[in-house]
Amino acid sequence: MFHKIITYWNLHKFPILFAIVSILLYTSFAYDLDRKDFTKLITLFAGLFFFCYKLIQFEKWNFRFLVITGIIFRLIFLGATPNLSQDFFRFIWDGNLIVQGLNPYLHLPIDLIAQEDFSLNKAQQLVVGMGELSASNYSNYPPLNQFIFAISSLLSGKSIAGSLLIMRVFIILADIGILYFGRLLLLKLNKPVHLIFWYFLNPLIILELTGNLHFEGVMLFFFIWSMYLLHNKKWKIAAPIYAMSIAVKLVPIIFLPLFIKHLGLKKSLVFYSLVAGVSVLFFFPFFSVQFLENYAQTIGLWFSNFEFNAGLYNLVKHIAVSFDAKPWELIKVYGKITPPIVITVVGLFTFLADNKKTPTLFTSMVWILSIYYLLATTVHPWYIVFLVLTCLFTDLKHPLIWSFFVFLSYWTYSNPDYKEHKIILIVEYIAIYGFMLYEIIKAYNKKTIFRKI
């Protein structure tokens, strides 16, 4: 036994050392980091990204080692409180409301907390924790996400730490599911299986999902499961699972038109009907006229009110302000212009790209989502998680570059005024645009754009 351990150490000592150092860095991230300390934050993240790359390079044929390593990295966060996001306070608030029989889409936290007869466990702490912006708006989290919040609140009793633990278990299990179906799909597509570890070991994924409790991973679990089924011609089973992905986060809706060519007109119509029907079932327990109004209003804010780490919008704003334009008016105009542009882009990739093959379908998805985020006024780091997974089934790599540089946006939280650093934004987007341009030129040279994808 001892001889086997020595032999294994001699063969794998560098990956083991990289894994141990990564464990120490993740522990520091989880339990000894203030998001205002940008120098420490970005140093830890850069170190983790480097060791992620080295682990994949050294151990890309040792699947079991990387799986165990990725799970250990996530388990480190089980007892931690998210330190880069305060969204979890709203998750717990919504879950507690549902447990008490209240609809989170119909009540503003700031209004409920002001009512004398209103009683909710740790209500004041949750409202203060979520912040004034969240407390002043209706919930925007889709119904399946709300069910997870409710289960976490129900099983944890009155414990915030218990709710965090249960939500993390959901997210970790989802990531393991992504690993499973992602690996199977890569095998089916004759692509290197170790590519899935660019998702499973990526520090952005681990920190933003398991660490900061964002549920993009749960959405992606249902999404990649559905895509695996679609590739295997089981589209009728794939449809309700795709609907479950939408019921966690709405983003997969943007890809629905692409299935017209992938499935053919008749099958795609049935597919859309199944997706729509299952989606309605999820929303039904919360449905009312007031719900539709509140939800549409809340979703609209992301296009016309909020801004963070924006790419093109910041350039437009800089130019417009130099001509005395008012930023609060500009964002509303910009928010009205971008949806038609995104719809046009989706239409181009729907009708001009040959989406019959699964890799081509994924390629269209990556470009659509990339353009959407480049146009968006708000691009939080965890948004890039979707791009990271989908790009693994294509020849595109700019999402992996983006998954590193997007973390620079946390500079904003290191200063008391929460002002963005223009130089940091320029560095981030030059890196992204530069690599995207390289991939566009490369695709053009290979004649792989639109019909020739």
Side-chain angles (χ1 to χ4, degrees), residues 314-331:
N314 270 314
L315 177 61
V316 171
K317 184 172 71 170
H318 178 75
I319 296 171
V321 169
S322 67
F323 289 96
D324 297 324
K326 298 176 181 178
W328 57 89
E329 293 179 351
L330 174 66
I331 193 171

Side-chain angles (χ1 to χ4, degrees), residues 340-383:
I341 295 174
V342 173
I343 291 171
T344 301
V345 170
V346 173
L348 289 172
F349 278 94
T350 296
F351 296 108
L352 298 183
D354 184 8
N355 295 310
K356 293 179 181 179
K357 295 181 179 179
T358 302
T360 307
L361 184 61
F362 273 113
T363 300
S364 295
M365 289 176 175
V366 172
W367 281 120
I368 288 171
L369 202 55
S370 296
I371 294 168
Y372 170 62
Y373 286 149
L374 290 173
L375 291 171
T377 59
T378 302
V379 184
H380 289 295
W382 56 91
Y383 290 8

